[in-house]
């Protein structure tokens, strides 16, 4: 462990001094909090002041102004800060001034958590404050906080180092309380989705995270071993195949907020552990899903911002339905003037070379088209756009297009130049599905480590009959990035994955 700093040594000594005075620096009993900083600020007035004559507030000491026999301090609870007025004679018992002279003045520090009992009042300078009549030590902080200076409403020396913010998110939340708003909005996004699907009569469910077959997506899995069963297991890369089993079982519609895991690279929009919402509805198709998704995202934007227009960096993205639709082939042609519609694998490789796109030698036609779209076209779609009608080679779980040979009924929703959602008219023909899985095995044998495994139990389920179904997956992390105007996925995860810290 790193040697203790001078401040850390002093704080430990203060903790011991508190114990010598008979004060437990980490008491077990409940502190009867009956109010919050935000509530007092919102409701206190000359007419309501009698309701705030017995206030119990708890929070972290964030600043102290020493005025001799009286101090002003800022206490921060989960709703914000409140000024507290602490006078020597008010918090001391009779002639014993230990609580003020020793405990408050000498043994408590910035970041310590205390309980305040007192009454609300307006100071001579017009600031709402709590006049303390009793102080209770609730938790002695043994590490000092990074100090953020404030003057006239502006912050100085704010901690902006990403390494510090992401690794010690708990400190980031203390010293930059506005960060909480991102995560509060994230929860509101998820609640809006829940309410939307619940009102449609669909059921929120849970499916396995540890799976014997890593199915439902083209991705490299994390692998582990179950000792009791003596078998390999995988952290799920998707929950699709289990949710479709439930549609086979007779549910009309199911959805799940799932933690998925993909053993791949990390960047501004990728984390190896991420959250996706997947929903499947019987007797629907991808046209219905596009309409439903437009409505859902419109509702989310309004719930968070009161408007369909959302500021994202220097752009304004409008989630007002309907969204633009364009086929994958037309999207590529729109930005390259190249028509890849009827190209075979060799022609696609030559096109990649022409466009200076480096591709591995072991990927097939589907991934070649995906690489061309990703490198040349994807980033142009800032406003919500459905990219529709993908080649069958790219979509092994998707129903063939009802009128366009060689294509499937699939869309990806692009927003701000990135995929936000992926949806299909789901393949429910077990014979066709088996053939698609076998094609994936051939790709795997060629060295494609993201090709799908054959899930024989899923095939068995389809053989019992799955109704026509549409399904969608929406990336909750990316959706939160857009809806809260955050530049990186790490900014919308409490604890993003990082290299192991050397302590």
């Amino acid at each position: 462990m790193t040697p203790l700093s001078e401040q850390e040594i002093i704080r430990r000594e203060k903790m011991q001094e508190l114990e010598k005075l008979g004060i437990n620096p980490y008491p077990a009993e409940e502190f009867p909090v009956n109010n919050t900083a935000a509530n007092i600020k919102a409701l206190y007035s000359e007419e309501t002041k009698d309701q705030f004559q017995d206030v119990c507030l708890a929070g972290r000491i964030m600043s102290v102004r020493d005025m001799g026999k009286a101090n002003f301090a800022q206490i921060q609870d989960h709703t914000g800060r409140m000024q507290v007025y602490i006078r020597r004679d008010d918090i001391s018992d009779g002639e014993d001034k230990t609580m003020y002279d020793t405990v408050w003045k000498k043994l408590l520090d910035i970041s310590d958590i205390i309980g305040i009992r007192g009454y609300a009042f307006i100071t001579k300078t017009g600031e709402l404050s709590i006049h303390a009549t009793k102080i209770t030590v609730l938790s002695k902080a043994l590490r000092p906080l990074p100090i953020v200076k404030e003057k006239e409403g502006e912050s100085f020396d704010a901690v902006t180092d990403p390494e510090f913010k992401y690794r010690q998110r708990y400190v980031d939340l203390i010293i930059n309380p506005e960060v909480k708003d991102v995560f509060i909005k994230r929860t509101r996004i998820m609640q809006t989705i829940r309410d939307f699907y619940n009102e449609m009569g669909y059921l929120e469910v849970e499916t396995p995270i540890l799976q014997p077959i890593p199915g439902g997506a083209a991705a490299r899995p994390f692998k582990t071993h179950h000792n009791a069963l003596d078998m390999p297991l995988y952290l799920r890369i998707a929950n699709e195949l289990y949710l479709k089993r439930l549609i086979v079982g007779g549910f009309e519609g199911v959805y799940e907020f799932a933690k998925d895991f993909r053993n791949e690279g990390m960047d501004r929009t990728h984390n190896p552990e991420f959250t996706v919402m997947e929903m499947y509805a019987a007797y629907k198709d991808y046209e219905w899903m596009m309409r439903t998704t437009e409505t859902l995202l419109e509702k989310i934007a309004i719930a968070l911002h009161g408007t369909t227009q959302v500021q994202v960096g220097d752009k304004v993205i409008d989630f007002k339905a309907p969204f633009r639709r364009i086929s994958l082939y037309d999207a590529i042609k729109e930005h390259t003037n190249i028509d890849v519609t009827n190209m075979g694998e060799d022609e696609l490789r030559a096109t990649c070379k022409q466009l200076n796109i480096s591709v591995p030698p072991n990927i097939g036609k589907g991934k070649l088209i995906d690489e061309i779209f990703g490198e040349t076209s994807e980033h142009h779609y800032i406003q919500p756009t459905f990219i529709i009608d993908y080649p069958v080679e790219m979509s092994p779980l998707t129903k063939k297009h009802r009128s366009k040979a060689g294509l499937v009924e699939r869309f990806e929703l692009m927003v701000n130049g990135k995929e936000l959602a992926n949806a299909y008219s789901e393949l429910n023909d077990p014979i066709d599905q088996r053939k698609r899985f076998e094609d994936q095995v051939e790709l795997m044998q060629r060295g494609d480590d993201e090709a799908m495994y054959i899930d024989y139990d899923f095939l068995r389920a389809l053989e019992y009959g799955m109704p026509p179904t549409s399904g969608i997956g929406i990336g909750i992390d990316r959706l939160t990035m857009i809806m809260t105007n955050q530049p990186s996925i790490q900014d919308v995860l409490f604890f993003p994955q990082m290299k192991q810290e050397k302590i």
Side-chain angles (χ1 to χ4, degrees):
M1 293 291 290
T2 305
L4 295 177
S5 68
E6 181 182 1
Q7 270 292 315
E8 289 170 322
I9 293 170
I10 291 171
R11 284 175 179 247
R12 280 162 171 76
E13 291 171 349
K14 290 181 178 182
M15 177 188 69
Q16 293 168 358
E17 290 300 316
L18 286 170
E19 291 172 339
K20 289 178 183 177
L21 290 171
I23 297 172
N24 185 346
Y26 308 104
E29 59 266 32
E30 173 191 8
F31 184 77
V33 173
N34 64 11
N35 231 307
T36 65
N39 189 65
I40 297 169
K41 289 177 179 179
L43 300 180
Y44 183 89
S45 67
E46 188 63 30
E47 291 74 26
T48 64
K49 65 181 182 181
D50 289 345
Q51 301 174 25
F52 298 96
Q53 295 306 295
D54 183 19
V55 170
C56 279
L57 199 66
R60 194 179 297 272
I61 302 171
M62 298 303 291
S63 67
V64 176
R65 280 189 290 138
D66 192 345
M67 303 171 65
K69 293 185 179 180
N71 282 183
F72 282 102
Q74 288 281 337
I75 304 299
Q76 179 171 290
D77 67 7
H78 69 282
T79 68
R81 292 190 182 187
M82 173 61 68
Q83 180 168 276
V84 178
Y85 176 63
I86 300 167
R87 196 167 62 177
R88 183 172 185 246
D89 291 342
D90 292 333
I91 66 166
S92 303
D93 294 329
E95 296 301 315
D96 184 0
K97 306 302 180 185
T98 303
M99 195 63 198
Y100 185 86
D101 291 346
T102 303
V103 176
W104 172 253
K105 297 275 283 188
K106 297 179 181 179
L107 302 182
L108 292 181
D109 295 290
I110 304 298
S111 190
D112 289 349
I113 298 172
I114 61 173
I116 297 290
R117 188 156 202 158
Y119 57 89
F121 77 109
I122 303 294
T123 68
K124 291 179 181 179
T125 58
E127 185 165 357
L128 178 61
S129 304
I130 303 299
H131 189 133
T133 57
K134 184 178 181 181
I135 290 179
T136 302
V137 179
L138 298 178
S139 183
K140 179 68 184 171
L142 300 185
R143 285 179 182 261
L145 285 173
I147 299 300
V148 180
K149 301 182 180 69
E150 294 184 356
K151 185 178 181 181
E152 298 177 357
E154 291 189 54
S155 296
F156 303 89
D157 300 328
V159 176
T160 57
D161 174 36
E163 169 77 14
F164 179 88
K165 288 167 62 71
Y166 303 150
R167 196 177 295 282
Q168 298 187 47
R169 179 68 81 188
Y170 38 88
V171 181
D172 183 37
L173 290 165
I174 295 169
I175 62 178
N176 298 311
E178 68 278 2
V179 171
K180 288 182 180 177
D181 186 56
V182 171
F183 296 97
I184 291 169
K185 286 180 177 176
R186 180 186 174 108
T187 297
R188 288 182 63 194
I189 289 169
M190 296 173 73
Q191 190 57 52
T192 302
I193 295 172
R194 279 193 171 96
D195 292 344
F196 183 78
Y197 289 134
N198 289 347
E199 287 172 9
M200 296 173 74
Y202 296 164
L203 184 70
E204 183 173 4
V205 299
E206 293 178 294
T207 60
I209 293 175
L210 287 173
Q211 300 180 352
I213 299 290
R220 185 189 305 157
F222 288 92
K223 186 177 182 179
T224 186
H225 186 84
H226 192 287
N227 291 333
L229 295 175
D230 191 23
M231 62 181 286
L233 289 172
Y234 301 86
L235 294 179
R236 69 178 168 204
I237 56 174
N239 50 342
E240 174 171 346
L241 302 187
Y242 283 90
L243 292 175
K244 287 197 280 194
R245 285 172 169 93
L246 297 180
I247 297 296
V248 171
F251 287 99
E252 177 195 12
V254 292
Y255 70 94
E256 179 179 18
F257 289 93
K259 282 288 187 183
D260 288 350
F261 306 84
R262 297 182 183 177
N263 197 355
E264 300 168 342
M266 297 170 57
D267 59 28
R268 191 177 62 83
T269 58
H270 292 88
N271 193 67
E273 174 186 348
F274 60 98
T275 302
V276 66
M277 189 291 305
E278 290 203 30
M279 186 276 285
Y280 293 82
Y283 309 109
K284 309 298 184 186
D285 65 3
Y286 82 143
E287 292 280 354
W288 175 88
M289 189 63 79
M290 278 187 268
R291 298 192 300 271
T292 303
T293 302
E294 290 169 338
T295 303
L296 171 61
L297 292 175
E298 196 174 66
K299 283 182 177 291
I300 292 170
I302 292 171
L304 262 63
H305 304 289
T307 174
T308 59
Q309 296 186 339
V310 178
Q311 187 75 41
V312 182
D314 59 356
K315 312 175 193 78
V316 175
I317 295 177
D318 195 344
F319 286 92
K320 178 68 176 174
F323 302 163
R324 183 190 179 194
R325 301 182 185 187
I326 183 172
S327 75
L328 177 68
Y329 288 148
D330 287 343
I332 292 173
K333 189 174 181 180
E334 183 174 67
H335 299 288
T336 66
N337 291 319
I338 298 173
D339 188 352
V340 301
T341 304
N342 297 311
M343 286 187 182
E345 188 173 322
D346 291 341
E347 290 176 285
L348 288 168
R349 287 191 180 279
T351 300
C352 287
K353 188 173 182 179
Q354 176 187 341
L355 295 169
N356 296 314
I357 300 171
S358 177
V359 292
N362 55 5
I363 63 175
K365 179 179 175 180
K367 282 201 172 181
L368 289 169
I369 295 172
D370 195 31
E371 289 285 342
I372 293 170
F373 174 74
E375 291 294 324
T376 67
S377 309
E378 182 179 73
H379 57 281
H380 292 288
Y381 296 101
I382 303 304
Q383 296 302 321
T385 304
F386 291 119
I387 308 297
I388 64 172
D389 299 345
Y390 283 63
V392 66
E393 293 86 355
M394 288 181 67
S395 312
L397 297 167
T398 312
K399 186 171 287 189
K400 289 178 180 177
H401 201 284
R402 66 195 75 178
S403 61
K404 299 175 183 177
L407 301 182
V408 294
E409 297 194 346
R410 171 185 176 185
F411 71 78
E412 287 189 354
L413 174 61
M414 297 295 160
V415 181
N416 199 33
K418 286 290 181 182
E419 175 199 344
L420 180 61
N422 187 19
Y424 319 144
S425 295
E426 301 294 337
L427 179 55
N428 61 340
D429 178 344
I431 305 300
D432 191 2
Q433 184 64 82
R434 182 179 294 271
K435 175 64 170 63
R436 305 272 197 98
F437 277 150
E438 288 169 350
D439 292 342
Q440 288 290 300
V441 171
E442 288 184 18
L443 290 173
M444 192 180 297
Q445 290 169 348
R446 289 174 54 177
D448 186 347
D449 58 6
E450 292 185 348
M452 290 188 191
Y453 293 70
I454 297 180
D455 187 332
Y456 290 104
D457 179 68
F458 176 67
L459 290 173
R460 180 170 57 190
L462 289 185
E463 289 170 357
Y464 282 101
M466 185 175 84
T469 298
S470 185
I472 189 170
I474 298 176
I476 297 300
D477 307 317
R478 288 188 184 178
L479 178 58
T480 305
M481 286 173 61
I482 291 166
M483 290 293 178
T484 61
N485 193 15
Q486 296 301 312
S488 171
I489 194 170
Q490 286 80 17
D491 293 314
V492 300
L493 301 174
F494 273 128
F495 305 106
Q497 192 65 46
M498 303 183 72
K499 285 185 177 180
Q500 188 170 358
E501 186 177 13
K502 294 180 180 179
I503 297 179

